[in-house]
Amino acid sequence: MTDKKKQLRKHKRIATGLFIAMMLIYFLMVFLLKHQPQTWMNYVQAFSEAAMVGALADWFAVTALFRYPMGIRIPHTNLIENSKNSIGDNLGNFVTDNFLTSENIRPYIEKIDLALFASTWMENPKNQQILEREINHILQKIITNLDDTTVVHFLTIKAHEGIRAIPIQNLVSQGLIYAIENNEHNRLIDLILPEAKNYVEQNREEIYHKVTEKKPILGLIGGKAVTNQLISGILAFFDEIEKNPDHKIRIELTSRLLDLTQEINSSESWKQKFDDILEQFITPEKISSYLSELVDTLKEELLDQLNDPNSPVSTYIHNNIKQLTSQLKNDENTKVKINTWVQHSLYKMILNNTQEVGNLIRKTVGNWDGKELSEKLELEVGKDLQFIRINGTLVGGLVGLIIYMITHWIIN
């Protein structure tokens, strides 16, 4: 038996014992007044009679709260069990309307100094180590529990969408324009021409054979001389292009390249070509394969670093905790920002959920068993309610005595 039950039974016995005592005194006075009457006995009888009435009335009132008096289903008794839902509704409305208001909440919210609490707690090196371990543990758990298939699938879709969204036509076109504007195509010509001249010089014999092969008659009428003249003309033409930055070949090439940039940027055929290249070389399967290897490598590397207290990741976590501790302690601006954010968030959250608190109280009380609720409440307040019975007995007796005295005085 719990202490509350023992106390309740004790005070019930006291209140009931006082009623029985008044009843015994009343019957004793009735007996004595019949056989050995004395004036004072009338006063005691009046007191004890009224005390019994007061005791019974308050016993009925207190008992009616928690059960049917003597098991009789008298209307408006066993109030707590029968009015359980109403109690829940009224209690929810009472708490919501009288406690969870902006006027009541604001003073408490404004006293919250989370920054001070956090900085004081984090100043302790042991707490910093605890925080570091917890962060490390959480990160390891997150990384370990990652669904690789889901992550790779998500990244593959996003990567493929991103690649498909790249304006390759425009990039290639702009790249060519940039190269032309920076004279890169002429520099390319300057690099190619010396090599072309060397190639021609080193392959005179082969050129001669190719010429006589196509035109055998030239071999009979001095083909080598003709070939040498042809080669000399080619070399002279190359020299001319190489030395003249405004040569018509260079100008023509620039013009053709500019036309090509426009065509690349606007032509549907070029768009199709680039799309075909992407489809051929950058497929979702290949992207998924690359990303799968990347995710596996990253997870393994991160877990290794988290398990190594001297790794860059662990060092980064450690240094940031130190920095945060110092910032919380010394930076007033940070303290104000944190406290303002916490206070504002709590204030807003509480006010936005006042009805939810009321609903929670209603549902909780509504889900309780009525009899169990009645018994719980009786354990909490029943001991104090027994004093009502005691006071009712004594006050009733005094009132009865006073009424008797006034009545007797008036009659006499």
Side-chain angles (χ1 to χ4, degrees), residues 293-308:
E293 293 180 7
L294 177 63
V295 169
D296 288 341
T297 303
L298 285 176
K299 285 181 65 176
E300 185 178 349
E301 178 64 23
L302 283 172
L303 289 172
D304 288 342
Q305 294 218 16
L306 288 171
N307 287 319
D308 181 4

Side-chain angles (χ1 to χ4, degrees), residues 116-128 130-131 325:
L116 176 62
F117 173 80
S119 63
T120 303
W121 186 83
M122 291 178 65
E123 279 181 340
N124 188 331
K126 290 184 178 179
N127 292 334
Q128 292 181 22
I130 292 172
L131 183 59
T325 303

Side-chain angles (χ1 to χ4, degrees), residues 67-82:
R67 61 185 60 84
Y68 294 111
M70 301 177 68
I72 303 172
R73 292 181 174 269
I74 302 171
H76 305 293
T77 58
N78 197 17
L79 295 176
I80 292 176
E81 185 173 350
N82 291 333

Side-chain angles (χ1 to χ4, degrees), residues 18 124 154 168 205 222 248 251 274 382-383 386 389 395:
L18 186 58
N124 188 331
F154 173 78
I168 297 179
E205 193 68 27
K248 64 179 182 179
I251 294 172
F274 289 125
K383 181 187 77 170
Q386 300 311 309
R389 292 176 59 191
V395 172

Side-chain angles (χ1 to χ4, degrees), residues 193 196-205 207-208 211 223-243:
L193 285 175
K197 288 193 294 183
N198 289 335
Y199 180 82
V200 171
E201 286 286 358
Q202 294 171 5
N203 294 276
R204 283 176 176 269
E205 193 68 27
I207 293 172
Y208 167 73
V211 170
K224 281 195 175 183
V226 173
T227 301
N228 287 333
Q229 289 178 0
L230 176 62
I231 291 172
S232 296
I234 292 172
L235 292 175
F237 183 67
F238 284 169
D239 283 337
E240 185 179 341
I241 295 172
E242 188 176 15
K243 292 176 181 178

Side-chain angles (χ1 to χ4, degrees), residues 135-250:
I135 292 174
N136 192 296
H137 176 71
I138 292 170
L139 290 175
Q140 288 190 51
K141 192 171 183 180
I142 291 173
I143 294 170
T144 303
N145 293 335
L146 273 178
D147 185 350
D148 293 2
T149 303
T150 303
V151 173
V152 170
H153 179 68
F154 173 78
L155 293 176
T156 299
I157 293 174
K158 292 302 178 182
H160 192 253
E161 290 175 353
I163 291 171
R164 298 290 298 177
I166 296 173
I168 297 179
Q169 280 179 277
N170 182 260
L171 290 176
V172 173
S173 175
Q174 293 298 320
L176 281 173
I177 291 173
Y178 178 84
I180 293 169
E181 289 176 349
N182 287 274
N183 210 32
E184 295 295 336
H185 61 302
N186 279 322
R187 277 195 279 273
L188 182 61
I189 291 173
D190 293 337
L191 289 173
I192 292 174
L193 285 175
E195 297 298 323
K197 288 193 294 183
N198 289 335
Y199 180 82
V200 171
E201 286 286 358
Q202 294 171 5
N203 294 276
R204 283 176 176 269
E205 193 68 27
E206 185 177 348
I207 293 172
Y208 167 73
H209 288 302
K210 288 290 183 182
V211 170
T212 55
E213 184 180 323
K214 295 289 184 181
K215 300 290 183 180
I217 194 170
L218 289 177
L220 300 173
I221 58 174
K224 281 195 175 183
V226 173
T227 301
N228 287 333
Q229 289 178 0
L230 176 62
I231 291 172
S232 296
I234 292 172
L235 292 175
F237 183 67
F238 284 169
D239 283 337
E240 185 179 341
I241 295 172
E242 188 176 15
K243 292 176 181 178
N244 183 5
D246 296 321
H247 194 278
K248 64 179 182 179
I249 294 295
R250 291 179 183 269

